[in-house]
Amino acid sequence: MNTTIASVPTQPQRVSGVQAHDLVRRFGSGDSAVTAIDHVSLHVPPGEFTAIMGPSGSGKSTLMHTLAGLDRPTSGHVEIDGIDLGTLNDDALTRLRRDRVGFVFQSFNLLPTLDVRENVLLPFLLAGKRPSGEDSARADQLIARLGLSERVRHRPAQLSGGQQQRVAIARALVTRPAVVFADEPTGALDSRSSREVLDLLRSMADDQRQSIVMVTHDALAASRADRVIILQDGRIVQQLPRTSAAEISRVMLALEAEGVDAEVAR
Ligand SMILES: Nc1ncnc2c1ncn2[C@@H]1O[C@H](COP(=O)(O)OP(=O)(O)O)[C@@H](O)[C@H]1O
Ligand SMILES: [Mg+2]
């Protein structure tokens, strides 16, 4: 009998990317309690681009905030790069977000007094670090990639909404975060700017092996993802492997029709 194997201590498995185990997030208590996230488990490994879809109020933003460590779950846990967020105090959680997580929100949160380049380099300044030559080169590369090279000295107010969103995306990517969370990143963009943003997110997954989690209402945007997770009432009701925008729209419409039928039967 081989006793060596039995004596090898079991290493806790470190899982890269972002992982949720049996996540629950409840708001309020008693009769007014809302279960925004209802036992969700998922794993987005490095290099995977996942889209989250679902009707308004289905828990998309709450799920994203909880995965990103901006909100604490009621139960269950979240790991980013193998680190259980529940074991971190608020300071450590803030540091982990700063070092390993990138955010793109619907509102761009650009600083009005800084120009494009300064806004992109802001994460380094906030961390109290002077950007290295490599950091600056990466910022310039992202700015060029997003078609903003002619605008580096412009302030946010001198840019269109689409251009401002692209600055916000460059800023989210400049620190090479392990995981990037994007809440409706193309919601306010024209189709050309949308395509540029989606191309960039796609290449962050393919070339930089970053994990991308994107909330979207747009089937065309979701069709660029490796997987589409559909939420309803805080639960994952469907998962689609990479597929066409037409197929994603068809599934979303069918779910909506089911919802209407259930409403009528009530
Ligand atoms: N801070 C909060 N307090 C109370 N209820 C909340 C809060 N945030 C979200 N909810 C509720 O949780 C559910 C999911 O909301 P949300 O995650 O914003 O959905 P989505 O982003 O899919 O529209 C909704 O019923 C919403 O009203
Ligand atoms: Mg939302």
Side-chain angles (χ1 to χ4, degrees):
M1 198 173 91
N2 188 340
T3 52
T4 341
I5 289 173
S7 67
V8 170
T10 46
Q11 291 285 333
Q13 191 82 39
R14 273 178 64 97
V15 180
S16 298
V18 58
Q19 186 164 42
H21 300 276
D22 206 19
L23 214 56
V24 174
R25 179 64 169 106
R26 250 180 235 113
F27 292 107
S29 58
D31 285 350
S32 62
V34 174
T35 305
I37 299 297
D38 195 1
H39 299 280
V40 166
S41 297
L42 61 87
H43 178 210
V44 183
E48 188 177 299
F49 179 4
T50 289
I52 299 176
M53 300 186 84
S56 176
S58 58
K60 303 181 296 296
S61 295
T62 305
L63 177 60
M64 171 158 292
H65 292 163
T66 313
L67 291 176
L70 290 167
D71 186 15
R72 303 248 188 203
T74 305
S75 64
H77 60 275
V78 175
E79 283 176 33
I80 287 183
D81 261 1
I83 299 164
D84 182 345
L85 304 191
T87 66
L88 305 179
N89 64 24
D90 286 349
D91 285 348
L93 192 55
T94 300
R95 273 199 304 279
L96 176 126
R97 281 202 309 265
R98 191 187 69 205
D99 296 340
R100 297 178 200 246
V101 179
F103 296 100
V104 182
F105 291 115
Q106 250 164 320
S107 55
F108 315 129
N109 300 317
L110 301 179
L111 292 195
T113 58
L114 301 184
D115 69 21
V116 164
R117 197 160 188 279
E118 291 164 337
N119 263 293
V120 172
L121 290 168
L122 189 63
F124 298 110
L125 306 179
L126 289 178
K129 280 191 288 189
R130 177 184 283 273
S132 67
E134 198 189 320
D135 297 335
S136 300
R138 178 163 170 76
D140 290 334
Q141 196 191 339
L142 285 165
I143 288 167
R145 180 86 199 263
L146 289 164
L148 294 164
S149 295
E150 257 109 76
R151 302 278 189 283
V152 275
R153 304 296 309 172
H154 286 55
R155 303 241 172 109
Q158 299 169 292
L159 303 173
S160 70
Q163 289 167 338
Q164 291 184 41
Q165 181 61 300
R166 284 180 274 157
V167 175
I169 287 172
R171 187 182 55 190
L173 298 175
V174 75
T175 56
R176 296 175 187 272
V179 186
V180 175
F181 293 98
D183 200 347
E184 294 269 359
T186 60
L189 302 186
D190 58 42
S191 59
R192 180 162 168 234
S193 301
S194 291
R195 194 163 355 98
E196 280 165 4
V197 163
L198 293 165
D199 285 348
L200 188 69
L201 292 175
R202 193 61 260 173
S203 84
M204 291 302 121
D206 293 340
D207 307 335
Q208 311 285 330
R209 310 301 296 160
Q210 287 164 302
S211 304
I212 315 286
V213 181
M214 172 182 74
V215 166
T216 187
H217 281 107
D218 178 6
L220 199 58
S223 72
R224 302 293 303 276
D226 297 304
R227 173 168 57 142
V228 183
I229 289 176
I230 302 174
L231 286 183
Q232 211 169 28
D233 299 327
R235 285 186 292 268
I236 296 177
V237 291
Q238 285 237 23
Q239 297 203 48
L240 306 174
R242 190 169 188 172
T243 184
S244 66
E247 174 64 9
I248 294 166
S249 298
R250 195 191 61 73
V251 171
M252 294 302 293
L253 280 170
L255 277 173
E256 261 172 53
E258 267 175 40
V260 172
D261 285 350
E263 205 68 34
V264 169
R266 213 176 277 163

